[in-house]
């Protein structure tokens, strides 16, 4: 079946030395945050459907590797990508991290976390690791010390995640983020119409009009 073919592709897909999936074959030794959404939800759902519990640790490790290698120690934000080989022009020669944050990539990473947390058995021993990572990133959306464009994109994806589960607790937001705060931010988030710049691809523009009063 098509699902079996995709699962076999994951088995054959190249990895970093510690076991992280390359973003694509044409991007060797690189892990990109948004890449987690491309495979992890399918990988976890397939593994649960066919009772392949031995794959759970591999799935969780993908998130852990990406988090550990892209996290900025100063801000807590995650850089967009990491190059194990340090051979890319954009890669820091010491850390291998890319130079920029991209809120949308962190958003896709958060959505992948939400899916996998819900798919894994509730009593699985390492599930809490993913919840902790989700909380660590989620709080960044409410930190006014971060760039506005990063916060807005994180909020957009976080609100998408909030719409899917039946309640706030299920998506494991940090305890410091209260439902009233989420509601206030949601009500002040302005989603503009699709904007086309210089006849290029259309994109969704959003901004926050949250006030401190």
């Amino acid at each position: 079946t098509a699902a079996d073919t995709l699962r076999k592709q994951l088995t054959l897909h190249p990895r970093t030395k510690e076991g992280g999936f390359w973003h694509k074959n044409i991007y060797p030794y690189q892990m990109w945050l948004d890449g987690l959404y491309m495979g992890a939800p399918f990988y976890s759902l397939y593994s649960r459907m066919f009772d392949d519990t031995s794959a759970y640790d591999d799935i969780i490790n993908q998130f852990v590797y990406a988090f550990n290698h892209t996290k900025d120690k100063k801000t807590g934000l995650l850089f967009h990508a990491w190059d194990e080989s340090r051979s890319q022009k954009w890669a820091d020669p010491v850390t291998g991290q890319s130079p920029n944050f991209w809120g949308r990539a962190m958003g896709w990473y958060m959505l992948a976390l939400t899916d996998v947390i819900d798919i894994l058995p509730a009593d699985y021993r390492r599930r809490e690791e993913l919840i902790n990572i989700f909380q660590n990133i989620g709080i960044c959306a409410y930190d006014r010390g971060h760039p506005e464009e990063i916060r807005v994109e994180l909020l957009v994806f976080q609100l998408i995640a909030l719409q899917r589960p039946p309640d706030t607790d299920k998506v494991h937001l940090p305890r410091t983020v209260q439902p009233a705060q989420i509601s206030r931010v949601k009500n002040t988030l302005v989603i503009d119409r699709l904007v086309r710049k210089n006849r290029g691809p259309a994109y969704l523009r959003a901004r926050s009009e949250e006030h401190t009063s």
Side-chain angles (χ1 to χ4, degrees):
T1 66
D4 293 328
T5 299
L6 289 174
R7 178 62 184 87
K8 183 177 181 180
Q9 182 176 335
L10 289 176
T11 301
L12 300 175
H13 196 76
R15 298 173 179 244
T16 63
K17 291 180 181 178
E18 64 185 344
F21 288 123
W22 290 5
H23 185 61
K24 292 182 180 180
N25 287 338
I26 60 174
Y27 301 123
Y29 307 104
Q30 301 169 44
M31 294 187 74
W32 297 12
L33 288 180
D34 40 313
L36 270 294
Y37 197 78
M38 296 177 182
F42 165 79
Y43 190 8
S44 55
L45 184 59
Y46 184 99
S47 299
R48 178 150 191 176
M49 288 180 64
F50 293 97
D51 199 28
D52 183 12
T53 57
S54 63
Y56 289 163
D57 278 353
D58 187 33
I59 296 165
I60 292 172
N61 285 341
Q62 303 305 313
F63 289 95
V64 173
Y65 296 153
F67 181 77
N68 289 341
H69 289 303
T70 63
K71 184 177 181 180
D72 177 34
K73 295 181 180 179
K74 294 181 180 179
T75 64
L77 297 171
L78 305 186
F79 288 105
H80 179 208
W82 169 71
D83 174 20
E84 179 184 44
S85 68
R86 276 73 165 169
S87 62
Q88 296 299 310
K89 293 181 180 180
W90 49 258
D92 183 282
V94 177
T95 66
Q97 295 170 335
S98 60
N100 299 314
F101 302 117
W102 188 29
R104 198 170 307 173
M106 282 186 277
W108 283 119
Y109 181 83
M110 289 181 71
L111 287 184
L113 278 168
T114 303
D115 282 350
V116 173
I117 288 170
D118 284 347
I119 293 169
L120 288 175
D123 60 349
Y124 191 68
R125 57 186 175 80
R126 294 187 61 196
R127 184 169 174 267
E128 192 70 24
E129 291 181 48
L130 299 187
I131 296 174
N132 291 336
I133 291 175
F134 186 95
Q135 292 179 343
N136 193 291
I137 304 171
I139 198 66
C140 292
Y142 302 90
D143 187 340
R144 291 182 176 276
H146 297 321
E148 177 70 5
E149 63 271 18
I150 297 294
R151 294 181 63 242
V152 167
E153 289 197 317
L154 274 176
L155 286 168
V156 169
F157 276 91
Q158 193 169 116
L159 292 174
I160 292 173
L162 288 171
Q163 295 304 311
R164 297 191 295 174
D167 53 58
T168 301
D169 291 339
K170 191 175 179 183
V171 294
H172 313 291
L173 283 172
R175 293 181 179 179
T176 54
V177 179
Q178 302 299 320
Q181 183 179 17
I182 296 170
S183 178
R184 185 180 72 250
V185 173
K186 181 177 180 180
N187 292 335
T188 59
L189 194 66
V190 179
I191 307 296
D192 292 340
R193 294 181 178 181
L194 284 174
V195 178
R196 188 175 300 277
K197 186 176 181 181
N198 297 327
R199 298 184 179 180
Y203 65 94
L204 186 66
R205 185 174 65 191
R207 66 183 185 277
S208 174
E209 292 185 350
E210 185 179 4
H211 302 293
T212 57
S213 58

